[in-house]
Amino acid sequence: MRKISLAVLSFAVLSCWNSNITSANQPTDSIDVEIPIKALLTPYTGYEEKNTVEAVLYGTLPSSCYTLGSYRTEQNDSNHTITVRQFATRQITGVCADETRMPEHLKMSVPFTSEVHVGNLPAGDYKFIFNKMDGKQGLRMMNVAPNQTLTVDSLPYALISGVSAPDVVNGKDDLLVKISGVLNSSCTKLDDKVQVTSQDDVSVLLPTVSIKPGVVCAQALIPFEKQVNLGKTESGVHLIHARSMNGRAVNKVIQVSN
């Protein structure tokens, strides 16, 4: 009786082992592929050593069979270059098994944006390198300045949580942007004027706060919204980059048509 039990147990273990081998050898239903990038957007100036350096990738997934994956960065400290690669997951089963027979609406490309967080960098000029849609290598320059103050930011920025604007705008019309966030005390107020600097295809918004005179300061979260008119913008891909408290930024990418 004991021998029979051992035989049954051995057969069960062997069957399970064979099943695992079969599963491991079966083809997967998706693969990871690198996606070329239409544009890498970041301000050329404005970052200091204490700030978190960010860039925004803009591109399109080839069809609905692709989902956006992770990005990878490779930093070369000797020549101040940062290579960025964006990946996606492509489904290869079901309706995605043969892309030529897919329904037309699934063949359409899908726009995407992806934020790349580089972190703190020593002062100097840097080059972002990425693979473009035409197969060539893209290049984006950026400068990191030495720290000007002991605080995280040189200006007392407001805490920005959102930047909203139409995804597609007409370049003949003024570009209206709404920023939203919170004040973190009862004695601060959002300044009426939001400083804006234009750097080619990037608009940098600098929303600052000031202290109310004669007001007792208490911890409080006070929400705010403010509309900013950026005027007319050149056609193409455009980044709205709003600086926020704690050395971070909130980004929004738009398409500007003629």
Side-chain angles (χ1 to χ4, degrees):
M1 187 68 179
R2 183 177 301 174
K3 292 182 179 180
I4 295 176
S5 298
L6 290 174
V8 171
L9 179 60
S10 299
F11 176 78
V13 172
L14 182 60
S15 298
C16 181
W17 184 71
N18 287 333
S19 175
N20 289 336
I21 292 177
T22 302
S23 299
N25 291 334
Q26 286 177 348
T28 181
D29 59 356
S30 64
I31 57 175
D32 291 333
V33 296
E34 184 174 358
I35 297 295
I37 301 167
K38 281 190 175 182
L40 186 149
L41 304 166
T42 191
Y44 173 70
T45 60
Y47 284 119
E48 296 181 7
E49 292 177 296
K50 60 200 170 189
N51 299 141
T52 299
V53 174
E54 303 170 350
V56 179
L57 309 180
Y58 177 81
T60 55
L61 301 175
S63 72
S64 296
C65 291
Y66 293 76
T67 55
L68 191 64
S70 59
Y71 66 83
R72 299 176 191 170
T73 60
E74 181 179 337
Q75 187 172 328
N76 189 325
D77 295 331
S78 62
N79 58 9
H80 280 198
T81 60
I82 303 168
T83 302
V84 181
R85 302 172 67 193
Q86 178 65 56
F87 293 85
T89 300
R90 176 192 167 195
Q91 300 297 320
I92 57 176
T93 59
V95 70
C96 297
D98 185 356
E99 294 187 5
T100 62
R101 303 179 64 181
M102 287 169 50
E104 289 301 318
H105 70 281
L106 295 181
K107 293 181 182 179
M108 303 299 174
S109 60
V110 181
F112 73 84
T113 59
S114 176
E115 290 196 2
V116 176
H117 300 278
V118 180
N120 305 101
L121 294 174
D125 291 319
Y126 290 84
K127 300 176 184 176
F128 281 101
I129 298 174
F130 57 97
N131 294 322
K132 296 172 59 179
M133 301 290 292
D134 58 7
K136 297 180 180 179
Q137 195 173 74
L139 177 66
R140 182 86 183 199
M141 301 295 297
M142 181 200 65
N143 175 266
V144 176
N147 292 331
Q148 301 298 315
T149 64
L150 296 177
T151 57
V152 175
D153 287 303
S154 299
L155 296 175
Y157 294 125
L159 180 59
I160 303 299
S161 57
V163 173
S164 60
D167 293 321
V168 180
V169 300
N170 191 323
K172 298 178 182 178
D173 301 327
D174 285 353
L175 174 56
L176 301 178
V177 177
K178 181 185 291 184
I179 59 175
S180 59
V182 293
L183 302 173
N184 63 351
S185 71
S186 61
C187 57
T188 57
K189 66 174 183 176
L190 184 69
D191 291 335
D192 292 333
K193 184 177 180 180
V194 176
Q195 182 181 343
V196 178
T197 60
S198 297
Q199 302 180 18
D200 296 327
D201 52 3
V202 179
S203 292
V204 180
L205 278 61
L206 306 176
T208 54
V209 297
S210 55
I211 303 299
K212 298 178 183 178
V215 176
V216 177
C217 211
Q219 181 78 38
L221 295 179
I222 305 170
F224 67 82
E225 288 186 347
K226 188 173 184 62
Q227 183 170 273
V228 182
N229 189 337
L230 299 184
K232 294 174 175 55
T233 309
E234 293 186 6
S235 61
V237 182
H238 195 88
L239 174 66
I240 303 167
H241 177 90
R243 296 309 303 266
S244 181
M245 190 183 293
N246 298 329
R248 301 299 298 270
V250 179
N251 299 293
K252 169 72 178 180
V253 176
I254 62 171
Q255 282 269 16
V256 182
S257 60
N258 292 322

